[in-house]
Amino acid sequence: MEITEINEQELQTWLVVLRATHWLDQQLARDMMKEDKVRINWYDVLIHLQHAPDSARGMRMQDLIDRVIISNSGMTRLIDRLVEEGLVVRQMYDDDRREVYVTITEAGRKMVTQLMQNHQKRIKKYFLDYVHDDEMDVIKAVFQRIIESNSCTPVE
């Protein structure tokens, strides 16, 4: 196997992206826990469910796992907690008995609505305030190209 080396500019670019995204993830999670008393992975699951293509049916567990950075067992435990809190329900459908679907409840929708405003303010404060309008499309295009080229789950 041939080893492909990257040059200094490529390495520095990668390191900046890595540091920035790691810091942003950590800061947003800390702020949500501190200010809203909610773990960010709860919000992440709920926001995906709120925007599910079929809101009545919800999403397959596997689709949630593909979109939220969490292990299968971690997702199972997380969904267990969200069910206990009345924020989601698990369902199986006669036409697909092999798959477990998760659907957001009205209480879950209410929580997302309450969290969304603060979360969006934090995204603006920590990220968007530093990106110029003409850079938005470039950043989006680069990361969209990465997603599409590597068969990642698309952002909806």
Side-chain angles (χ1 to χ4, degrees):
M1 184 166 120
E2 184 179 326
I3 298 174
T4 304
E5 292 187 25
I6 61 176
N7 65 38
E8 187 64 22
Q9 180 186 24
E10 292 167 330
L11 175 62
Q12 292 305 315
T13 300
W14 170 246
L15 290 174
V16 166
V17 168
L18 195 61
R19 286 181 194 133
T21 55
H22 177 75
W23 182 86
L24 285 165
D25 287 344
Q26 296 298 311
Q27 189 64 44
L28 291 169
R30 278 190 297 269
D31 284 2
M32 185 168 284
M33 180 56 85
K34 180 181 176 186
E35 297 168 15
D36 301 314
K37 312 296 187 243
V38 174
R39 293 189 182 281
I40 201 161
N41 57 2
W42 284 34
Y43 177 75
D44 199 8
V45 167
L46 293 172
I47 198 82
H48 278 90
L49 291 172
Q50 181 159 309
H51 295 287
D54 183 349
S55 60
R57 191 172 182 111
M59 290 179 71
R60 293 179 324 128
M61 281 281 286
Q62 189 57 52
D63 292 334
L64 276 173
I65 291 165
D66 291 345
R67 286 172 172 76
V68 178
I69 301 172
I70 194 168
S71 67
N72 288 9
S73 61
M75 180 61 77
T76 299
R77 287 189 301 274
L78 175 56
I79 297 301
D80 287 344
R81 290 292 320 272
L82 294 173
V83 167
E84 287 172 17
E85 296 292 326
L87 302 171
V88 303
V89 293
R90 280 193 184 93
Q91 302 179 102
M92 293 182 81
Y93 295 96
D94 289 335
D95 64 333
D96 192 1
R97 300 291 302 169
R98 297 167 292 139
E99 297 288 347
V100 175
Y101 286 77
V102 181
T103 307
I104 191 168
T105 64
E106 194 55 43
R109 288 184 189 285
K110 184 177 178 183
M111 177 179 269
V112 167
T113 301
Q114 291 170 345
L115 295 172
M116 194 179 311
Q117 187 173 8
N118 285 344
H119 189 59
Q120 289 179 359
K121 284 180 186 176
R122 291 186 286 260
I123 290 169
K124 186 160 176 40
K125 173 183 175 182
Y126 296 131
F127 178 67
L128 297 174
D129 283 351
Y130 300 97
V131 180
H132 301 281
D133 289 345
D134 58 326
E135 296 169 321
M136 295 278 181
D137 289 334
V138 173
I139 292 169
K140 181 181 175 190
V142 168
F143 282 95
Q144 191 64 39
R145 190 167 53 245
I146 292 167
I147 289 169
E148 291 169 1
S149 297
N150 291 288
S151 302
C152 301
T153 303
V155 176
E156 297 169 354

